[in-house]
Amino acid sequence: MSNILGISCFYHDAAACLIKDGIVVAAAEEERFTRKKHDISFPINAINYCLKEGNITADQLNYIGFYEKPLLKFERMLSQHLEMFPWSFWSFFKALPSWLNEKLRVPSIIKRRLKYKGDILFIEHHLAHAASAFLVSPYEEAAILTIDGVGEWATASYGFGKGNEITLLKELRFPNSVGLLYSTVTAHLGFRVNDAEYKVMGLAAYGEPAYYEKFKKIVDVKEDGSIEFDMDYFDYHYKLTMPSKKFIEEFGPIRKKESEITQHHKDIAASLQKITEEILFKILNHLYKETKIKNLCIAGGVALNSVANGKITKNTPFKNVWVQPAASDAGTSLGAATYIHNVIFGNKREYFMKSAYLGPSFSTEYIKNFLDKNEIKYKIFKNDLALAKLTAKLIIENNVVGWFQGKMEWGPRALGARSILSNATNPNMKDILNAKVKHREHFRPFAPVISKEDVHEYFEIDKDEEQFMLFVYPFKEDKKKLVPSVVHVDGTGRLQTTSKEENPLYYGVVK
């Protein structure tokens, strides 16, 4: 029996994943236990859950994999701060304690917190992303793209996977980074970096790419998709801020949090999205020329850009695109574990991620005891059909339903295990949800869920399913008026399909 634990932490989206004989038995982000969004801390709660789910203790682990090489990352940090000294001193001073207390002490922290005496293997960050993308994908052979803010030095890499082997051909290096460009604009628009980039993506649909040419001055985009920044517009390589004084002169003052979002801000977001897609499609077209493989796997924070994902097959020769549900740094815990099992030790791939339900679950008895203890009213149903019918009735009568069943989702999307369900046919439902439940920006869309067999009736889509809500597709023109609360301003939806095989109770409600 082979037990391998993968861990990611200390930057954002800390997570853990356990595989037993190559099968993923548990995976969860630390934020799901601490309720701190994008929690960076050592994922002790997620680890304990994985061990419990696997019915093992830490001393039964054969290996632990960590999602990057801390010394290589520290080399990059020292290099960038020495290059910009003395202007970088304050940023370096602020960052040093976390390096000395945590990031350079990973082996001792793991061994102490878990009372673990075995081997710890360190996998390069973008290799962990690549493994998370390909090794649990449905493809025997695929091109691979990893693209994010920054790992050790790499900000993007590409290559291919075949069987249980991964070959990375080229990489883009810090400070040139699509992810850091997106984060810089996120900061400029008054949103939180490493958290709200998806808000900028949603905002882009309301704007026009009026500042695209300005972005072209800042980013030199080559034909193969490689990029070179004019670093005068950025501060992130030596300060705690991201947009520089020159960036602010070009695009206007940084928007204050909670202040009005103007057309100017919407147009900046639209321009950013346009140049991001241009870079992505150029990289992918070049990658196809090098690999001639029709299947594509993507990972990294930029792989969560569902708007761009939905356009890949129309703008590149790739026919099949797969994105692992926890494509951000959380997923590198999965990548580290699978890389050790499949690549380092050469084991044949036997697991394909057919669902994202890998997190904690609660027994009926546990839930009943909790409700009794807290004097919460409840009703017990004789069968799933009765529960599904009542839930559907409540939704169509414009009630908002908190939906809780089975194992928690792996990744950032609510996929029918921990979801808020409401009536897509009610044109006022978006405002009702934002006012009473979600308390979020008016421009952010809500996502449609549809049964797998009905997806082509409603969407302009080139595949039969989209389980993980990571692709945006256009609605068919005659269907937009039927489900107005989930149609975005540009006529699209970030959809999830569901099937009887994958989640029968959820499917029953939707159907």
Side-chain angles (χ1 to χ4, degrees), residues 49-262:
Y49 155 69
C50 288
L51 295 176
K52 182 180 178 182
E53 189 70 16
N55 197 29
I56 61 169
T57 57
D59 57 8
Q60 292 174 285
L61 291 168
N62 299 95
Y63 294 94
I64 289 179
F66 194 72
Y67 79 124
E68 64 181 7
K69 296 194 172 183
L71 288 175
L72 192 57
K73 192 156 193 165
F74 189 61
E75 173 195 87
R76 189 255 301 164
M77 193 198 82
L78 283 176
S79 175
Q80 71 190 66
H81 284 93
L82 285 171
E83 182 182 349
M84 300 305 295
F85 191 82
W87 301 280
S88 62
F89 173 77
W90 181 244
S91 174
F92 178 76
F93 178 76
K94 293 282 283 185
L96 199 56
S98 68
W99 278 100
L100 297 177
N101 294 325
E102 293 178 334
K103 296 170 185 174
L104 290 174
R105 298 178 60 236
V106 170
S108 62
I109 289 172
I110 290 174
K111 292 189 175 187
R112 175 173 54 83
R113 296 293 299 272
L114 301 184
K115 296 181 173 57
Y116 172 74
K117 297 185 174 73
D119 292 326
I120 302 169
L121 304 182
F122 293 84
I123 312 302
E124 282 194 39
H125 186 77
H126 276 257
L127 206 50
H129 269 313
S132 79
F134 173 66
L135 293 176
V136 297
S137 78
Y139 311 133
E140 174 64 19
E141 185 178 32
I144 302 170
L145 173 66
T146 68
I147 183 164
D148 63 5
V150 61
E152 294 89 358
W153 279 98
T155 62
S157 67
Y158 69 70
F160 61 91
K162 188 171 184 178
N164 60 340
E165 292 293 328
I166 291 175
T167 303
L168 295 184
L169 301 170
K170 290 181 182 177
E171 68 179 27
L172 187 66
R173 290 199 141 204
F174 183 87
N176 302 301
S177 165
V178 178
L180 291 175
L181 172 65
Y182 219 96
S183 292
T184 298
V185 178
T186 298
H188 184 262
L189 293 176
F191 299 116
R192 187 178 171 187
V193 170
N194 289 331
D195 176 33
E197 282 78 1
Y198 66 98
K199 294 184 183 181
V200 177
M201 182 184 71
L203 185 63
Y206 289 84
E208 296 294 331
Y211 301 104
Y212 169 73
E213 293 301 327
K214 287 192 174 186
F215 276 107
K216 293 285 281 188
K217 283 168 50 181
I218 297 171
V219 186
D220 181 13
V221 184
K222 315 292 186 185
E223 274 310 301
D224 64 356
S226 59
I227 55 176
E228 188 173 347
F229 286 175
D230 181 341
M231 292 309 297
D232 288 343
Y233 288 90
F234 303 94
D235 281 350
Y236 59 73
H237 53 306
Y238 72 101
K239 280 186 178 181
L240 298 173
T241 54
M242 298 196 79
S244 71
K245 184 179 178 182
K246 190 170 182 180
F247 191 100
I248 294 166
E249 288 172 356
E250 193 75 52
F251 291 98
I254 295 173
R255 174 183 161 265
K256 291 181 180 178
K257 188 179 178 184
E258 309 302 336
S259 67
E260 181 189 1
I261 295 174
T262 66

Side-chain angles (χ1 to χ4, degrees), residues 264-411:
H264 168 70
H265 301 125
K266 297 170 186 177
D267 290 348
I268 290 176
S271 305
L272 171 68
Q273 183 65 26
K274 180 175 179 178
I275 198 164
T276 298
E277 291 176 10
E278 178 186 336
I279 295 166
L280 182 65
F281 299 150
K282 283 189 173 182
I283 293 173
L284 292 176
N285 280 307
H286 181 74
L287 174 57
Y288 181 80
K289 285 179 184 176
E290 292 210 12
T291 64
K292 295 293 191 294
I293 302 171
K294 295 287 187 181
N295 303 321
L296 172 67
C297 297
I298 316 177
V302 179
L304 293 174
N305 193 309
S306 50
V307 172
N309 291 347
K311 300 176 182 177
I312 288 173
T313 55
K314 285 184 171 60
N315 289 275
T316 76
F318 290 106
K319 297 298 182 188
N320 307 299
V321 184
W322 198 82
V323 182
Q324 188 257 120
S328 68
D329 276 9
T332 54
S333 61
L334 165 70
T338 53
Y339 189 85
I340 292 168
H341 180 79
N342 294 118
V343 180
I344 293 178
F345 293 111
N347 293 302
K348 186 179 178 181
R349 293 163 58 204
E350 296 178 348
Y351 173 83
F352 159 49
M353 188 174 284
K354 293 181 179 179
S355 88
Y357 307 125
L358 294 168
S361 62
F362 299 86
S363 68
T364 299
E365 182 184 12
Y366 180 96
I367 295 169
K368 185 176 182 301
N369 288 339
F370 179 89
L371 297 175
D372 288 338
K373 182 181 176 181
N374 291 278
E375 298 182 346
I376 297 170
K377 293 180 181 179
Y378 61 88
K379 180 179 179 179
I380 296 175
F381 290 82
K382 291 180 180 179
N383 54 57
D384 286 355
L385 181 60
L387 174 56
K389 280 187 172 182
L390 177 62
T391 305
K393 183 174 183 290
L394 289 169
I395 290 170
I396 211 69
E397 290 173 353
N398 296 316
N399 294 284
V400 178
V401 174
W403 183 254
F404 178 101
Q405 58 134 5
K407 287 192 165 191
M408 186 184 291
E409 298 92 339
W410 167 238

